[in-house]
Amino acid sequence: SRISAGGYTFTNPVLSVAKVGSLIYVAGADGVTQVDALGNPTGTYYTPSTGGTVYSIGYIEPYLYVGGDFTSLSDGVTPVTCNNVARIDINTNTISALIDSNTSDNGLNGIVRIVDVTASPAFGGDFTASGDTNAVTLKRFATWKDSTSYWNTGEAEINNGSVKAIKYYTDPIGGNQYYAIGGNFSDIAPTNDTCNGLFLFNLTGSTYDPVGGSLTSLDTGADVNTIVKSDVIDNLYAGGNFTSGSFTNCVSWASTTPASFGDESFPDPVYSILPTSAGLLAGSGTNFVVNGTPYNSAPFSAPPTIVSMELIDGKVYMGTTTATPYLYIYNPSEKIIVSGTIISGAGVSLPT
């Protein structure tokens, strides 16, 4: 129903949304909450330790992987000790920690800000090693091998700042496998290369490859909040708070030609992107952008910061940090309401 919320009002920001089979889960400072199609909780909750926050969730059957800032996760009955990362078996509602089979370390030693489940579970954030004894060095990026229960080593190292965005993809022509990695860092690799917030880690050759022609294609101080890949065209998109030449806050590149940026500029910092057959939906600090056109934020009770968008059954579920009830649902088959007025042409057709 246009831009709307369910009957339930979340009391804290919603930072991540994921479809899990026929179910929908949202995450934030309230923990992980299962909701119905209208955004109303179903009664299944997983709560972090006191003061904790879940920043990101992602699903690989049968597990929902959970990352954030917490020391335990509870099903409401029994808290399970897990340092900043955990997984939930959706079939049994069982929480388990990620305990490295080689070292017995539990989880990671710092905040996890992003979970990517395109391939193996991958995590980014502020951490520098596995939890407990710091036995495995993992500098702000880590991938988990479920079959053997250990952290993979010898992968990307980010030496400062935070990793906020990860996207795995394969070059359909060359066959190389990449992790596109973004954040607010400036120092990467064992050789301390300068990099302004965005690079590709080439899994095929274990190399740190540039995007847009250089590791410093983005300006000094660049902050990349999100990286997504289009299922419609073979492009990737990075959004955040940065410039690259005349481009601002959003750029694209083809998976086969990462040396050249496409201009997807937005006037305000971008926190979330959803590529569709009708164009880009983007959430920024003062606008909700439909098919490249920014619209005023009047449908919301306050200017929104839309930090998560997920297309589920033809509707866009949007998590925000600044506009209660924090979870909004956009039906693109209708029009956006702005100050009580239907904006002609704002509706876009999206795949289910």
Side-chain angles (χ1 to χ4, degrees):
S1 57
R2 302 182 174 96
I3 285 189
S4 63
Y8 183 78
T9 297
F10 284 87
T11 57
N12 286 295
V14 170
L15 306 178
S16 187
V17 182
K19 182 177 182 181
V20 179
S22 61
L23 305 172
I24 301 167
Y25 286 80
V26 301
D30 291 325
V32 180
T33 304
Q34 185 188 103
V35 300
D36 63 20
L38 296 177
N40 298 305
T42 63
T44 299
Y45 302 86
Y46 304 95
T47 55
S49 47
T50 302
T53 296
V54 176
Y55 285 100
S56 185
I57 53 178
Y59 178 65
I60 301 178
E61 188 177 5
Y63 297 117
L64 183 69
Y65 288 87
V66 179
D69 181 10
F70 50 81
T71 56
S72 69
L73 199 65
S74 174
D75 59 3
V77 178
T78 306
V80 175
T81 299
C82 41
N83 295 323
N84 303 307
V85 64
R87 67 185 185 189
I88 302 166
D89 187 321
I90 296 303
N91 297 325
T92 63
N93 292 329
T94 303
I95 302 167
S96 57
L98 272 57
I99 298 178
D100 189 285
S101 60
N102 293 324
T103 66
S104 297
D105 269 6
N106 180 330
L108 295 163
N109 72 348
I111 296 172
V112 174
R113 299 188 182 276
I114 182 66
V115 177
D116 178 69
V117 291
T118 314
S120 299
F123 307 91
D126 304 356
F127 53 85
T128 57
S130 56
D132 295 333
T133 68
N134 302 338
V136 185
T137 298
L138 302 161
K139 294 185 177 180
R140 297 170 179 83
F141 174 83
T143 60
W144 175 256
K145 191 173 180 65
D146 245 334
S147 60
T148 50
S149 296
Y150 61 69
W151 296 107
N152 293 310
T153 57
E155 296 194 333
E157 296 183 7
I158 296 90
N159 300 316
N160 66 350
S162 298
V163 168
K164 300 180 177 182
I166 300 170
K167 192 62 180 178
Y168 169 90
Y169 73 98
T170 301
D171 175 350
I173 295 178
N176 289 338
Q177 301 173 72
Y178 295 99
Y179 276 108
I181 299 175
N184 60 3
F185 47 81
S186 61
D187 186 331
I188 64 170
T191 49
N192 296 104
D193 296 337
T194 299
C195 176
N196 294 339
L198 179 65
F199 71 97
L200 302 180
F201 184 70
N202 186 335
L203 289 168
T204 307
S206 295
T207 57
Y208 295 74
D209 295 350
V211 192
S214 167
L215 290 174
T216 56
S217 292
L218 304 186
D219 63 307
T220 300
D223 193 356
V224 174
N225 296 314
T226 183
I227 301 173
V228 298
K229 185 176 185 297
S230 172
D231 293 329
V232 180
I233 57 175
D234 204 25
N235 275 6
L236 289 99
Y237 301 85
N241 188 358
F242 57 78
T243 60
S244 178
S246 62
F247 305 162
T248 57
N249 299 323
C250 189
V251 293
S252 64
W253 67 94
S255 61
T256 55
T257 54
S260 177
F261 275 149
D263 184 8
E264 309 291 343
S265 292
F266 288 108
D268 302 298
V270 172
Y271 298 93
S272 57
I273 300 171
L274 182 64
T276 77
S277 57
L280 290 186
L281 304 187
S284 69
T286 58
N287 288 296
F288 177 54
V289 181
V290 181
N291 202 14
T293 302
Y295 288 91
N296 182 276
S297 57
F300 302 87
S301 58
T305 299
I306 303 170
V307 294
S308 178
M309 289 195 289
E310 196 72 25
L311 179 64
I312 301 174
D313 299 329
K315 296 181 177 64
V316 181
Y317 290 73
M318 301 181 291
T320 80
T321 59
T322 56
T324 56
Y326 296 115
L327 178 66
Y328 284 83
I329 304 166
Y330 168 47
N331 186 345
S333 65
E334 302 182 19
K335 311 297 184 184
I336 296 180
I337 295 179
V338 178
S339 299
T341 302
I342 296 177
I343 299 298
S344 177
V348 294
S349 176
L350 303 182
T352 57

